[in-house]
Amino acid sequence: MRKFSILIGAVLFAGLSVNAQQAPTTQYNANTKFEQMGTGLPTPNTFRTAAGAPGRDYWQQKADYDIKAELDDTNQSITGTEKITYTNNAPEELRYLWMQLDQNVFSKNSDGNITRQSGINPTSGSSFTALGNLTGANDKDYGYKIMAVKDAAGKDLRYTINGTMMRIDMPAPLAKGMSFVFQVDWKFNIIDLKSVGGRSGYELFPKDGNVLYEIAQWFPRMAVYDDVNGWQHKQFLGQGEFTLPFGDYKVALTVPNDMVLGATGELQNPKEVLTATQLKRLEQAKTSKTPVVIVTQAEAEAAEKGKPTGKKTWVYAAKNVRDFAFATSRKFIWDAMQVDVEGKKVWAMSLYPKEANPLWGQYSTRVVAHTLVNYSKRTIAYPYPVAYSVHGSVGGMEYPMMSFNGARPEADGTYSEGTKNFLILVIIHEVGHNFFPMIVNSDERQWSWMDEGLNSFLEGLTCLEWDRNFPATGIEPQYITSYMKIDADKQNPIMSSSDNIIPSTFGPNAYSKPATGLNILRETIMGRELFDYAFKEYARRWAFKHPTPADFFRTMEDASGVDLDWFWKGWFYGVEPADQAIANVEWYTIDTQDPTKIKAQAKTEADAKRETLSNIRNKTDIKQTVVEADSTMRDFYNSYDKFAVTDADKKKYEQYLSTLSADERKMVDEGKNFYVLSLKNKGGLVMPVIIRMEFEDGTFEDVRIPVELWRLNDKEVKKTLVTTKRVAKFKLDPYHEIPDIDTSDNTFPKEPEKPTRFQAFKQRGFGGGGSNPMQEARKNQPSGIQTSGEKK
């Protein structure tokens, strides 16, 4: 502890006089972390404003589909024809259209297959599936067979296939406000999910010989044409997903008549495809507080054992959606209930085979309902009539009103807590994708984080509202540190194109890090009220539109009034980690200039310094000194007490007090403690500073300092904290709000590291050690049977 004197109009710190408007205590270290992004973001225009909202001239295209398709359950293929009505709302005319042929990514000569990196690890080995993919054993005739492309009059249109894209040349330019109608006929073999893997396909159940289909990316779809990219026709390589225009769908799906089918949209012909019993159960489900089973497990098991007697066509219609998916199987159990979403009744439904029970019957539809309610209150009210959760081999994938989810119990019906938690989490995540990107329609091919990251953030909040003890680690800062501490050349900035993200870090990059960043914004940087309002405004502005990252960044700042450019630059554009440290703490108190206190303390300190080992021993070893024995050897200084308060001392003190105002006198008398903390930003990523002061009396106080503390020096700063109580320990980030990659230097005085544990054992004998195969073999042999090479 050091004392310092108060001077009139100035402050004296350890002998250094500085202006009362205290100047920075650290050397200026120029940095650009707090400079505005400026030209780093696209220039605002009449299509997209500087506030992050759609501009007065914002436009987007529309693609309507009328599809008729039939599923061949014997050969696992689909044949279809689609009529597309494409409306051009762009200010310029179009001479050609681009369509996405997503199934072509599975052909053996696709760019995605040819450029996929591969290797063999001799330690871990390789699965037969992986070897089959390398050797060509799994190669099948996958990909589209385009049989015809015609205009509305039936005339052939010229088209060119480029990998996973197809250009259609129109006979005349398509002007603004005009529509072009054309037809595409096609077929393809459905991929085997077990051998190929993917976002959709079929699963064969060998025990009963039946197949479960989860079908998506199944028809040629229009690519997006917008004001940002023009045509978004980047090749589909497998990792970067999709960007699609909105439109209205009418889809007729013909399948064997013993199959149950669910799809995007509302069923248009329920009386033609459902039994009277099923219709009655659906009616009951409208008012039930819990899921009602529409197709029971017993009925599904009976269907598994039978054979179809014909075909059945299910007709679905959907308005203002960007895609269409369906699932069908004779194995499906079907349950449903309606949930109130901000005054509107919405169907929550699940389709799953008996292999998913009892887990799915217990949780799936209830979790769907919970997700719709929770996401709606944080974004916009769910606008669609239904949301499905379907179980099959697809671990987790999303489409409008339709999600494919994994998590299957063991064969005996038991399951681990991890399996249960994954089921809840994956359903929330995939159903949540209805909002991002199915409604707030970001470009997944380019920006994975705009749907995965935002959705993972809401997933975490929704999991905690399902169960407050749910392990929602995907949004907590302390769980992203292992990723953030890896070498910079082994990770990508979040703002990386989807296909360019290192596959092994795709999860942290696109899901966990952006989700965690949003949680830090909400809890630590902006606060819940400002964040929630701005996030909801982003969803409101861009619902059923095509936002870009700049639109999100600008809206969050515009609606909250919080400058976040430093955060976008550090968290989204950079890979520096957060690593704060307390380098040192200096302790000061005000010198009261009271001679009674000053000299009493000086005497205490002087007496303490004299208590050396030598002086203690001399008290008994030296019987008598010369001065003690001979009084003539004494003078003034032998009786002078330099610690005694003199009249001159008192007079000087009284003169000093007379110069102070009442407030200044109070400041001197309060006896406050001034702690000067030297803080370091070792990681490079600037973050707010949260300091806990733990006092000697066992209480504590938290001090929260905004990130702008680092604006003049992003390497090291000093911060003075003033307290009445004496501090026993300082600690950074007591609530784990900052993803600090090294917390060993977050306390002062430094705490000892946790011990490394070791096992204690009885003394072992000589003769080596290690494993004993013979002993193990003997244990495993039946009694009386000799182990090879060993005498009985």
Side-chain angles (χ1 to χ4, degrees):
M1 177 180 68
R2 304 181 195 175
K3 293 184 179 293
F4 62 91
S5 299
I6 298 293
L7 303 182
I8 303 301
V11 183
L12 185 68
F13 281 88
L16 174 64
S17 179
V18 298
N19 194 303
Q21 294 180 347
Q22 188 179 343
T25 56
T26 52
Q27 182 180 356
Y28 178 72
N29 182 24
N31 67 84
T32 60
K33 296 187 187 300
F34 291 91
E35 295 296 330
Q36 296 298 289
M37 295 183 73
T39 56
L41 295 178
T43 303
N45 50 47
T46 59
F47 307 129
R48 296 167 191 270
T49 72
R56 67 175 184 270
D57 296 325
Y58 175 83
W59 56 270
Q60 63 188 40
Q61 310 292 61
K62 190 171 190 286
D64 300 326
Y65 298 83
D66 187 343
I67 305 173
K68 296 179 176 63
E70 182 171 342
L71 183 146
D72 183 340
D73 185 40
T74 301
N75 298 302
Q76 282 75 56
S77 65
I78 295 179
T79 302
T81 181
E82 61 188 277
K83 183 179 75 172
I84 303 170
T85 303
Y86 186 82
T87 303
N88 180 25
N89 294 314
E92 59 273 9
E93 65 181 21
L94 301 177
R95 294 183 176 275
Y96 47 80
L97 307 177
W98 281 96
M99 300 193 76
Q100 303 185 56
L101 304 182
D102 305 312
Q103 288 296 318
N104 284 0
V105 76
F106 299 109
S107 64
K108 61 182 179 180
N109 293 321
S110 72
D111 288 354
N113 276 331
I114 294 173
T115 62
R116 186 174 295 116
Q117 297 185 37
S118 58
I120 295 176
N121 188 327
T123 303
S124 60
S126 179
S127 68
F128 283 106
T129 298
L131 290 176
N133 292 336
L134 288 173
T135 61
N138 295 336
D139 289 348
K140 292 186 179 179
D141 188 18
Y142 290 132
Y144 286 107
K145 299 292 184 293
I146 302 296
M147 296 178 289
V149 180
K150 300 177 181 294
D151 64 13
K155 184 178 179 180
D156 288 338
L157 292 172
R158 181 178 177 182
Y159 65 91
T160 302
I161 295 177
N162 176 18
T164 57
M165 293 289 166
M166 179 170 69
R167 190 189 71 233
I168 298 172
D169 300 331
M170 292 180 289
L174 184 63
K176 177 182 179 180
M178 301 300 291
S179 297
F180 181 66
V181 180
F182 65 102
Q183 178 178 314
V184 182
D185 298 339
W186 45 268
K187 67 183 298 184
F188 69 91
N189 292 320
I190 305 169
I191 66 167
D192 179 352
L193 284 165
K194 183 177 180 181
S195 63
V196 179
R199 293 180 170 90
S200 71
Y202 74 86
E203 177 185 6
L204 172 65
F205 289 77
K207 285 188 177 180
D208 55 52
N210 289 295
V211 177
L212 187 156
Y213 297 91
E214 295 172 300
I215 305 299
Q217 303 131 246
W218 58 283
F219 59 98
R221 303 178 294 175
M222 292 304 307
V224 165
Y225 182 82
D226 64 17
D227 62 293
V228 178
N229 301 297
W231 284 107
Q232 171 52 294
H233 46 29
K234 191 176 185 294
Q235 286 291 318
F236 180 31
L237 302 179
Q239 184 161 278
E241 295 185 55
F242 320 107
T243 180
L244 301 159
F246 287 101
D248 300 334
Y249 285 74
K250 181 181 178 182
V251 182
L253 299 165
T254 300
V255 298
N257 65 354
D258 58 349
M259 285 188 171
V260 174
L261 188 147
T264 297
E266 290 184 284
L267 182 61
Q268 301 298 293
N269 59 337
K271 293 182 179 179
E272 297 175 18
V273 295
L274 302 181
T275 66
T277 299
Q278 292 166 352
L279 290 170
K280 182 179 179 181
R281 291 168 180 168
L282 269 174
E283 194 64 28
Q284 294 171 347
K286 290 181 179 180
T287 56
S288 176
K289 300 297 183 182
T290 57
V292 173
V293 180
I294 312 303
V295 176
T296 68
Q297 180 164 328
E299 290 166 343
E301 289 175 347
E304 289 177 348
K305 299 172 184 176
K307 291 186 179 298
T309 57
K311 299 176 182 179
K312 189 182 292 184
T313 298
W314 302 63
V315 180
Y316 280 85
K319 296 275 188 189
N320 206 18
V321 294
R322 59 166 247 168
D323 201 1
F324 189 100
F326 70 94
T328 186
S329 178
R330 60 181 54 86
K331 293 178 64 64
F332 275 151
I333 302 164
W334 178 15
D335 67 38
M337 64 181 289
Q338 284 199 334
V339 58
D340 186 282
V341 179
E342 300 188 11
K344 175 186 174 183
K345 291 292 186 180
V346 177
W347 281 109
M349 295 183 173
S350 295
L351 298 169
Y352 47 94
K354 66 178 185 298
E355 287 79 4
N357 265 338
L359 194 58
W360 273 67
Q362 174 76 6
Y363 291 107
S364 179
T365 295
R366 294 289 293 270
V367 176
V368 172
H370 171 71
T371 304
L372 296 177
V373 171
N374 206 277
Y375 272 63
S376 293
K377 75 178 182 181
R378 300 185 186 279
T379 57
I380 66 167
Y382 185 70
Y384 296 133
V386 64
Y388 278 95
S389 171
V390 180
H391 177 62
S393 282
V394 178
M397 196 58 206
E398 73 280 354
Y399 304 93
M401 309 181 221
M402 173 72 50
S403 63
F404 303 154
N405 304 305
R408 184 174 295 172
E410 301 295 335
D412 62 1
T414 62
Y415 52 85
S416 67
E417 184 180 23
T419 298
K420 168 192 166 183
N421 286 342
F422 178 72
L423 173 67
I424 294 168
L425 180 148
V426 75
I427 292 175
I428 289 174
H429 183 90
E430 305 306 341
V431 172
H433 269 307
N434 277 287
F435 296 83
F436 302 97
M438 301 304 157
I439 296 171
V440 181
N441 189 13
S442 57
D443 182 352
E444 298 174 274
R445 183 65 50 84
Q446 183 69 14
W447 310 112
S448 293
W449 70 267
M450 287 196 74
D451 70 298
E452 299 297 357
L454 271 59
N455 185 44
S456 294
F457 163 69
L458 289 178
E459 163 212 308
L461 301 185
T462 305
C463 283
L464 292 171
E465 292 209 24
W466 174 268
D467 181 351
R468 69 175 66 253
N469 296 315
F470 196 93
T473 57
I475 61 173
E476 288 289 352
Q478 60 183 304
Y479 297 105
I480 197 67
T481 55
S482 58
Y483 169 66
M484 296 187 73
K485 70 173 59 174
I486 66 176
D487 295 340
D489 61 352
K490 295 181 181 178
Q491 56 175 306
N492 300 87
I494 293 173
M495 288 292 290
S496 297
S497 181
S498 299
D499 285 314
N500 298 335
I501 300 170
I502 301 170
S504 61
T505 62
F506 188 83
N509 177 284
Y511 294 70
S512 305
K513 187 178 178 184
T516 300
L518 295 180
N519 198 41
I520 293 172
L521 284 178
R522 184 173 188 259
E523 301 291 0
T524 302
I525 295 169
M526 301 171 69
R528 292 188 173 189
E529 182 178 1
L530 287 176
F531 178 92
D532 290 349
Y533 183 89
F535 193 84
K536 193 175 183 71
E537 177 65 9
Y538 168 70
R540 186 196 67 78
R541 284 180 176 181
W542 290 99
F544 303 105
K545 296 182 177 68
H546 303 269
T548 67
D551 299 318
F552 176 71
F553 297 153
R554 284 168 165 157
T555 294
M556 291 301 292
E557 295 192 37
D558 181 69
S560 69
V562 181
D563 178 16
L564 298 171
D565 281 23
W566 64 271
F567 185 79
W568 311 132
K569 289 197 293 184
W571 194 267
F572 282 81
Y573 287 86
V575 295
E576 288 184 318
D579 186 5
Q580 298 178 356
I582 304 177
N584 190 36
V585 176
E586 298 169 90
W587 179 21
Y588 298 87
T589 61
I590 296 176
D591 188 343
T592 65
Q593 301 186 43
D594 183 345
T596 302
K597 295 180 179 179
I598 293 173
K599 290 194 171 183
Q601 183 175 346
K603 184 178 186 307
T604 300
E605 292 174 354
D607 290 345
K609 288 181 178 180
R610 286 183 55 81
E611 283 295 300
T612 65
L613 180 60
S614 296
N615 286 337
I616 292 172
R617 288 174 173 172
N618 287 342
K619 290 178 181 180
T620 55
D621 288 355
I622 300 175
K623 304 303 181 183
Q624 190 177 41
T625 66
V626 172
V627 172
E628 291 170 346
D630 186 353
S631 62
T632 62
M633 293 296 99
R634 302 177 186 176
D635 66 359
F636 170 81
Y637 291 103
N638 289 104
S639 59
Y640 170 69
D641 182 2
K642 63 181 178 180
F643 299 114
V645 179
T646 66
D647 290 339
D649 293 334
K650 294 177 181 178
K651 184 177 181 180
K652 183 178 179 181
Y653 180 53
E654 291 299 329
Q655 290 175 342
Y656 166 67
L657 292 179
S658 67
T659 65
L660 302 180
S661 67
D663 289 340
E664 291 170 339
R665 177 68 182 270
K666 180 181 178 182
M667 186 182 300
V668 171
D669 292 340
E670 281 177 333
K672 288 189 179 296
N673 300 284
F674 296 77
Y675 294 97
V676 180
L677 279 67
S678 296
L679 305 171
K680 288 191 174 183
N681 177 24
K682 296 165 58 180
L685 178 66
V686 291
M687 279 280 146
V689 177
I690 303 100
I691 305 169
R692 170 165 292 179
M693 298 184 291
E694 297 182 4
F695 301 115
E696 291 180 343
D697 64 2
T699 61
F700 68 87
E701 178 183 345
D702 294 330
V703 178
R704 311 183 74 86
I705 307 172
V707 70
E708 285 79 8
L709 176 69
W710 304 101
R711 70 186 182 278
L712 298 180
N713 188 330
D714 66 330
K715 300 292 189 299
E716 54 184 324
V717 296
K718 286 190 176 183
K719 182 64 179 175
T720 301
L721 303 180
V722 184
T723 71
T724 300
K725 300 178 182 180
R726 291 171 57 167
V727 178
K729 183 172 68 174
F730 294 89
K731 183 177 183 179
L732 292 176
D733 191 26
Y735 302 107
H736 310 290
E737 299 174 59
I738 306 302
D740 196 314
I741 64 171
D742 179 11
T743 59
S744 65
D745 48 16
N746 282 16
T747 58
F748 192 96
K750 187 175 181 179
E751 294 180 334
E753 295 182 3
K754 293 182 179 179
T756 300
R757 299 182 183 277
F758 63 91
Q759 292 184 344
F761 51 83
K762 292 185 178 182
Q763 184 65 37
R764 293 175 177 145
F766 296 103
S771 62
N772 186 337
M774 183 182 293
Q775 186 180 66
E776 292 300 317
R778 181 183 296 168
K779 288 180 181 178
N780 295 328
Q781 292 293 327
S783 177
I785 298 180
Q786 179 176 319
T787 303
S788 177
E790 181 185 3
K791 292 184 178 180
K792 184 70 177 169

Coordinates of all heavy atoms in Angstrom, one line a residue, residues 592-596 599 644-659:
T592 N -3.7 11.4 4.9 CA -4.5 12.3 5.6 C -3.7 13.5 6.1 O -4.3 14.5 6.4 CB -5.2 11.6 6.8 OG1 -4.2 11.2 7.7 CG2 -6.0 10.4 6.3
Q593 N -2.4 13.4 6.2 CA -1.5 14.4 6.8 C -1.8 14.7 8.2 O -1.3 15.6 8.8 CB -1.6 15.7 6.0 CG -1.2 15.5 4.5 CD -1.2 16.8 3.7 OE1 -0.6 17.8 4.2 NE2 -1.7 16.8 2.5
D594 N -2.5 13.8 8.9 CA -2.8 13.9 10.4 C -1.5 13.4 11.0 O -1.2 12.2 10.9 CB -4.0 13.1 10.7 CG -4.3 13.2 12.2 OD1 -3.4 13.6 13.0 OD2 -5.4 12.8 12.6
P595 N -0.7 14.2 11.7 CA 0.5 13.8 12.3 C 0.4 12.7 13.4 O 1.3 11.8 13.5 CB 1.1 15.1 13.0 CG -0.1 15.9 13.2 CD -1.0 15.6 12.1
T596 N -0.8 12.7 14.0 CA -1.0 11.6 15.0 C -1.0 10.2 14.4 O -0.3 9.3 14.8 CB -2.3 11.8 15.8 OG1 -2.2 13.1 16.4 CG2 -2.5 10.8 16.8
K599 N 2.6 9.5 12.4 CA 3.8 9.1 13.2 C 3.5 7.8 14.0 O 4.4 7.1 14.2 CB 4.1 10.3 14.2 CG 4.7 11.5 13.4 CD 5.4 12.5 14.4 CE 6.1 13.5 13.5 NZ 6.9 14.5 14.4
A644 N 7.0 11.4 18.2 CA 6.1 12.2 19.0 C 5.6 13.3 18.2 O 6.3 13.9 17.4 CB 6.9 12.7 20.3
V645 N 4.3 13.7 18.4 CA 3.6 14.7 17.7 C 3.9 16.1 18.3 O 3.6 16.2 19.5 CB 2.1 14.5 17.6 CG1 1.4 15.7 16.9 CG2 1.8 13.2 16.9
T646 N 4.5 17.0 17.6 CA 4.9 18.3 18.1 C 3.8 19.3 17.9 O 2.9 19.1 17.1 CB 6.2 18.8 17.5 OG1 6.0 19.1 16.1 CG2 7.3 17.7 17.6
D647 N 3.9 20.5 18.6 CA 3.0 21.6 18.3 C 3.1 22.1 16.9 O 2.1 22.5 16.3 CB 3.3 22.7 19.3 CG 2.9 22.3 20.7 OD1 2.1 21.4 20.9 OD2 3.5 23.0 21.7
A648 N 4.3 22.0 16.4 CA 4.5 22.5 15.0 C 3.8 21.6 14.0 O 3.2 22.0 13.0 CB 6.0 22.5 14.6
D649 N 3.8 20.3 14.3 CA 3.1 19.3 13.5 C 1.6 19.6 13.5 O 0.9 19.6 12.5 CB 3.3 17.9 14.0 CG 4.7 17.4 13.8 OD1 5.4 17.9 12.9 OD2 5.2 16.5 14.5
K650 N 1.1 19.9 14.7 CA -0.4 20.1 14.9 C -0.8 21.4 14.2 O -1.8 21.4 13.5 CB -0.7 20.2 16.4 CG -0.6 18.9 17.1 CD -0.9 19.1 18.6 CE -0.6 17.8 19.4 NZ -0.9 18.0 20.8
K651 N 0.1 22.4 14.3 CA -0.3 23.7 13.6 C -0.3 23.6 12.1 O -1.2 24.1 11.4 CB 0.8 24.7 14.0 CG 0.5 26.1 13.5 CD 1.5 27.2 14.0 CE 1.2 28.5 13.5 NZ 2.1 29.6 13.9
K652 N 0.7 22.8 11.6 CA 0.7 22.6 10.1 C -0.5 21.9 9.7 O -1.1 22.1 8.6 CB 2.0 21.9 9.8 CG 2.2 21.6 8.3 CD 3.5 20.9 8.0 CE 3.7 20.7 6.5 NZ 5.0 19.9 6.3
Y653 N -0.9 20.9 10.4 CA -2.1 20.1 10.1 C -3.4 20.9 10.1 O -4.2 20.8 9.2 CB -2.2 18.9 11.0 CG -3.4 18.0 10.8 CD1 -3.6 17.4 9.5 CD2 -4.3 17.7 11.8 CE1 -4.7 16.6 9.3 CE2 -5.4 16.9 11.6 CZ -5.6 16.3 10.3 OH -6.7 15.5 10.1
E654 N -3.5 21.8 11.1 CA -4.7 22.7 11.2 C -4.7 23.6 10.0 O -5.8 23.9 9.5 CB -4.6 23.4 12.5 CG -4.8 22.6 13.8 CD -6.2 21.9 13.8 OE1 -7.2 22.5 13.2 OE2 -6.3 20.8 14.3
Q655 N -3.6 24.1 9.6 CA -3.5 25.0 8.5 C -4.0 24.3 7.2 O -4.7 24.8 6.4 CB -2.1 25.6 8.3 CG -1.7 26.6 9.4 CD -0.2 27.0 9.2 OE1 0.6 26.3 8.5 NE2 0.2 28.1 9.8
Y656 N -3.5 23.0 7.1 CA -4.0 22.2 5.9 C -5.5 22.0 5.9 O -6.1 22.2 4.9 CB -3.2 20.9 5.9 CG -3.8 19.8 5.0 CD1 -3.7 20.0 3.6 CD2 -4.4 18.7 5.5 CE1 -4.3 19.1 2.7 CE2 -5.0 17.7 4.6 CZ -4.9 17.9 3.3 OH -5.4 17.0 2.4
L657 N -6.1 21.7 7.1 CA -7.5 21.4 7.1 C -8.3 22.7 6.8 O -9.4 22.6 6.2 CB -7.9 20.9 8.5 CG -7.3 19.5 8.9 CD1 -7.8 19.2 10.3 CD2 -7.8 18.5 7.9
S658 N -7.8 23.8 7.2 CA -8.5 25.1 6.9 C -8.7 25.4 5.4 O -9.5 26.2 5.0 CB -7.8 26.2 7.6 OG -6.5 26.5 7.0
T659 N -7.8 24.8 4.6 CA -7.9 25.0 3.2 C -8.9 24.1 2.5 O -9.2 24.3 1.3 CB -6.5 24.8 2.5 OG1 -6.2 23.4 2.6 CG2 -5.5 25.6 3.2

